[in-house]
Amino acid sequence: MPLKFRITPALLAALAALPLPLWAATYQVYVTNERSGDVTIINGADLKVAATIPVGKRPRGIHVSPDGKVVYVALSGTPIEAPPQIDAHGNPVFEKKRDGDDDNADKAADGIGVLDIAAQKLTGKLHAGSDPEEFALSQDGRRIYISNEDTKTASVINIASGKLEHIVPVGQEPEGVTTTPDGKQFYVTCEAGGDIYVVDTGSYSAVGHFKVNGRPRSIAFLSSGGIGFIPSESAGELNIIDTAAPKVLKTIALPAGSRPMRVKLSPDETRLYVSNGRAGTISVFDTHTYELLNTIKVGTRPWGIGISPDGKFLFSANGPSNDVSVVDLKSNQEVSRVKAGSSPWGIAITSR
């Protein structure tokens, strides 16, 4: 005979008294804080800060290992600079560096921090070349592909050995890095000039190159169909790309004032979310028709975004206001703000 029980106020009170991860927290949100040098951890169950972990200088890119045991964080000792001037084509204009310009950079601080999820602490740092900003993991989780912003290169490190195995020349100001769904290539976006490089993960050489308009920041790929999405920040555009060619298939103008930063797919891949920076909004697109479905108001200058594993909530890192917006994706409305550290930048979400 099956055991029967009744949910009573006493039972609910007992459950509430248990440590949160034992019964309610199915995921946690990890937020890099660029200026305060730490990572804020937010519980998905109650949207409260669970911990703040010091990680090092200028944490930006952040991603979870395929086995869900480690969060990797890009760290850089290069000081924060004001955004460059933009030319008539939406491309950054960089002044020629003077002797001593790099004197304030702490190269010993550069690396990929290794944050153990179970212990909730930084357990090591991998050498990652100069000024790592963003990165992606190989499909098997054994290597990290990194954009080295100040050296016009992408580097490849072996996680087990901790060794830098390859350096791949790319364009000026490389930023976004994403591995293709089949794991055979990774793409690197370069802010200056809008260059996109396609790097083969067997030979570690560039096998493709094309351009988009000014300041491409990130990439997202559909898991099938050979379609990718790249935003152009200064042009206020979303580029639909064919990964077989590779080339741009279609360019979509975003709402006025948009400065797109990050692109993120919903778990079922029917929606694409774009953080619009200074516009303070998130754009929602249909991933098959490319129709703009909604524009969601969030916090100040949303940069990194992440989506809960169940697809119910979107989280955006709002740099100037030092908080994280929580968006209900059923109503497409911001429902909460959570305080983070100083200048939130990137977001990664772990299942528990």
Side-chain angles (χ1 to χ4, degrees):
M1 180 179 294
L3 180 66
K4 295 182 179 180
F5 65 92
R6 188 164 56 92
I7 296 176
T8 65
L11 176 60
L12 290 175
L15 287 173
L18 289 174
L20 191 59
L22 294 180
W23 71 281
T26 56
Y27 64 91
Q28 288 188 313
V29 182
Y30 285 67
V31 185
T32 52
N33 300 304
E34 186 176 10
R35 292 185 183 274
S36 54
D38 49 31
V39 170
T40 299
I41 303 177
I42 301 168
N43 276 328
D46 59 6
L47 302 179
K48 292 182 179 179
V49 174
T52 300
I53 303 173
V55 292
K57 291 186 177 179
R58 205 178 174 191
R60 289 180 286 176
I62 181 169
H63 298 280
V64 184
S65 62
D67 63 9
K69 295 180 179 180
V70 173
V71 169
Y72 295 102
V73 183
L75 305 171
S76 174
T78 299
I80 298 172
E81 296 179 349
Q85 296 295 315
I86 302 298
D87 66 18
H89 304 288
N91 295 315
V93 178
F94 298 98
E95 294 183 4
K96 185 177 180 181
K97 285 192 173 183
R98 301 180 298 273
D99 289 343
D101 274 2
D102 292 328
D103 288 352
N104 293 325
D106 177 9
K107 292 303 177 184
D110 291 356
I112 301 295
V114 181
L115 201 164
D116 184 279
I117 291 175
Q120 292 203 340
K121 68 177 182 179
L122 195 73
T123 58
K125 186 170 70 174
L126 300 168
H127 175 57
S130 179
D131 191 22
E133 178 170 3
E134 257 294 4
F135 62 94
L137 289 147
S138 63
Q139 198 172 55
D140 60 12
R142 295 178 180 178
R143 286 174 174 80
I144 303 178
Y145 312 132
I146 303 155
S147 63
N148 300 116
E149 187 176 12
D150 64 354
T151 59
K152 304 179 187 179
T153 62
S155 55
V156 180
I157 59 174
N158 184 303
I159 295 173
S161 68
K163 292 182 179 180
L164 194 156
E165 293 184 328
H166 303 278
I167 297 175
V168 184
V170 291
Q172 190 172 357
E173 293 266 312
E175 180 163 338
V177 187
T178 303
T179 307
T180 55
D182 63 8
K184 294 180 179 180
Q185 298 173 333
F186 64 88
Y187 280 52
V188 181
T189 68
C190 302
E191 291 182 56
D195 293 284
I196 312 296
Y197 286 84
V198 184
V199 179
D200 179 82
T201 57
S203 65
Y204 293 107
S205 59
V207 294
H209 172 232
F210 61 99
K211 284 180 174 283
V212 298
N213 286 328
R215 304 193 86 184
R217 293 289 199 172
S218 59
I219 317 164
F221 296 109
L222 292 175
S223 58
S224 62
I227 296 295
F229 305 91
I230 300 175
S232 294
E233 181 199 358
S234 55
E237 295 172 344
L238 176 66
N239 303 285
I240 316 299
I241 64 167
D242 174 3
T243 61
K247 63 181 181 180
V248 177
L249 292 174
K250 183 180 180 67
T251 298
I252 300 170
L254 293 170
S258 298
R259 292 294 180 265
M261 301 290 189
R262 283 288 179 270
V263 283
K264 195 75 175 178
L265 289 163
S266 60
D268 63 5
E269 298 191 355
T270 62
R271 299 289 182 267
L272 178 80
Y273 298 91
V274 184
S275 65
N276 289 323
R278 296 175 191 175
T281 60
I282 306 291
S283 291
V284 187
F285 284 89
D286 184 295
T287 56
H288 299 291
T289 66
Y290 312 137
E291 178 188 1
L292 177 63
L293 301 175
N294 215 313
T295 301
I296 306 167
K297 184 65 179 173
V298 290
T300 308
R301 204 213 68 182
W303 192 293
I305 53 177
I307 298 174
S308 61
D310 58 12
K312 292 182 178 180
F313 294 99
L314 177 144
F315 299 85
S316 72
N318 308 320
S321 54
N322 301 329
D323 55 24
V324 174
S325 289
V326 183
V327 175
D328 181 337
L329 292 181
K330 185 175 182 180
S331 64
N332 282 324
Q333 292 186 346
E334 182 187 57
V335 294
S336 183
R337 295 267 185 99
V338 183
K339 292 302 292 184
S342 180
S343 197
W345 197 96
I347 286 182
I349 297 181
T350 65
S351 298
R352 297 200 54 157

